[in-house]
């Protein structure tokens, strides 16, 4: 569980990263109509949304409106065990991917790689389920939409927020990646194989320049 502090009032804040925009697109797909979205955008920038708590598959926040304090809860489907394993493999496939996540980036090739393995990381509108204590006639209400707009900023600033919502906690991902890393002995073995391959390639180039050389000796 992680609680993200209240975001102070801000003007015209829009998602700028590709994954932040994808989250916003999902929020807007979930909305009933444009007036609800307009009210939600205004509310999201007002500073009247309290701390947002994120758990695997769930988020919750309070929203102030007039004299009322409302509670918004939401759900996002978590990845199953096979999907989580496939995502870990996708991260481990390239050495720079975990570094990118840690520094606040979500590489598009990583998400594409995960999708090819059957892992949809970014939700679509129909996956965003919400409830609000205002008891709206249509879900999501503008309070819930406002909270989800703020989640877009949190997800954009730290992709691990998105991963946590999908059921992959930061420490768990790092532990899994550590578990899949080659052992020191294996790394040494791989290094020896690589060095031998380099020596063979260099020797082969030398032999190709020598018309009398016996290439079979190297094969």
């Amino acid at each position: 569980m992680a609680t993200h502090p209240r975001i102070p009032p801000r003007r015209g804040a829009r998602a700028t990263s590709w994954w932040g925009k994808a989250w916003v697109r999902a929020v807007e797909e979930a909305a009933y109509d444009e007036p609800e979205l307009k009210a939600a955008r205004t509310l999201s920038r007002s500073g009247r949304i309290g701390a947002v708590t994120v758990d695997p598959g769930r988020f919750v926040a309070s929203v102030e409106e007039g004299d009322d304090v409302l509670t918004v809860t939401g759900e996002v489907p978590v990845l199953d065990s096979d999907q989580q394993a496939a995502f870990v493999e996708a991260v481990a496939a390239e050495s720079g991917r975990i570094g990118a996540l840690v520094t606040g980036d979500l590489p598009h090739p990583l998400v594409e790689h995960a999708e090819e393995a059957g892992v949809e990381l970014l939700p679509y509108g129909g996956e965003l389920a919400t409830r609000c204590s205002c008891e709206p006639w249509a879900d999501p209400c503008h309070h819930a939409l406002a909270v989800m707009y703020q989640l877009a900023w949190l997800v954009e600033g730290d992709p691990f927020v998105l991963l946590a919502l999908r059921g992959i906690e930061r420490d768990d991902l790092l532990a899994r990646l550590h578990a899949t890393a080659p052992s020191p002995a294996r790394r040494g073995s791989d290094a020896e194989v690589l060095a031998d391959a380099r020596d063979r390639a260099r020797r082969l180039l030398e032999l190709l320049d020598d018309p009398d050389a016996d290439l079979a000796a190297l094969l």
Side-chain angles (χ1 to χ4, degrees):
M1 180 179 72
T3 299
H4 305 271
R6 179 191 295 264
I7 297 175
R10 56 198 296 182
R11 286 188 192 175
R14 291 182 177 272
T16 57
S17 68
W18 74 267
W19 65 93
K21 291 177 181 177
W23 179 277
V24 168
R25 185 164 56 249
V27 172
E28 295 178 347
E29 287 173 356
Y32 179 74
D33 57 22
E34 183 58 34
E36 288 286 286
L37 283 172
K38 183 176 180 180
R41 284 191 285 265
T42 299
L43 181 57
S44 70
R45 298 190 296 263
S46 68
R48 289 182 283 138
I49 296 176
V52 179
T53 298
V54 173
D55 285 319
R58 185 174 181 271
F59 59 88
V60 61
S62 61
V63 180
E64 299 171 9
E65 189 169 63
D67 295 331
D68 297 325
V69 178
L70 306 164
T71 300
V72 170
T73 59
E75 296 178 354
V76 181
V78 298
L79 303 177
D80 63 31
S81 58
D82 289 341
Q83 290 172 322
Q84 290 188 26
F87 180 75
V88 172
E89 290 180 4
V91 175
E94 290 190 12
S95 60
R97 287 178 173 175
I98 186 59
L101 289 172
V102 169
T103 56
D105 186 22
L106 182 60
H108 199 275
L110 166 59
V111 175
E112 289 182 327
H113 186 163
E115 287 178 352
E116 290 170 0
V119 181
E120 295 287 343
L121 196 61
L122 287 155
Y124 57 87
E127 290 185 309
L128 299 174
T130 61
R131 294 183 299 278
C132 180
S133 59
C134 76
E135 299 182 354
W137 63 271
D139 282 327
C141 64
H142 69 281
H143 308 116
L145 290 168
V147 172
M148 290 193 290
Y149 270 128
Q150 286 212 349
L151 270 172
W153 305 338
L154 296 176
V155 165
E156 184 169 63
D158 183 1
F160 281 104
V161 175
L162 173 60
L163 296 181
L165 281 169
R166 285 303 209 181
I168 303 176
E169 298 282 8
R170 176 189 179 112
D171 290 347
D172 183 48
L173 175 60
L174 295 176
R176 291 191 188 196
L177 290 170
H178 179 74
T180 61
S183 65
R186 173 64 184 276
R187 287 197 295 268
S189 176
D190 289 345
E192 290 171 4
V193 170
L194 180 59
D196 180 66
R198 288 172 177 163
D199 290 341
R200 284 175 176 271
R202 183 170 58 251
R203 180 61 178 153
L204 180 58
L205 290 174
E206 293 172 354
L207 292 174
L208 287 174
D209 291 333
D210 183 356
D212 298 324
D214 181 10
L215 296 181
L218 192 65
L219 303 176

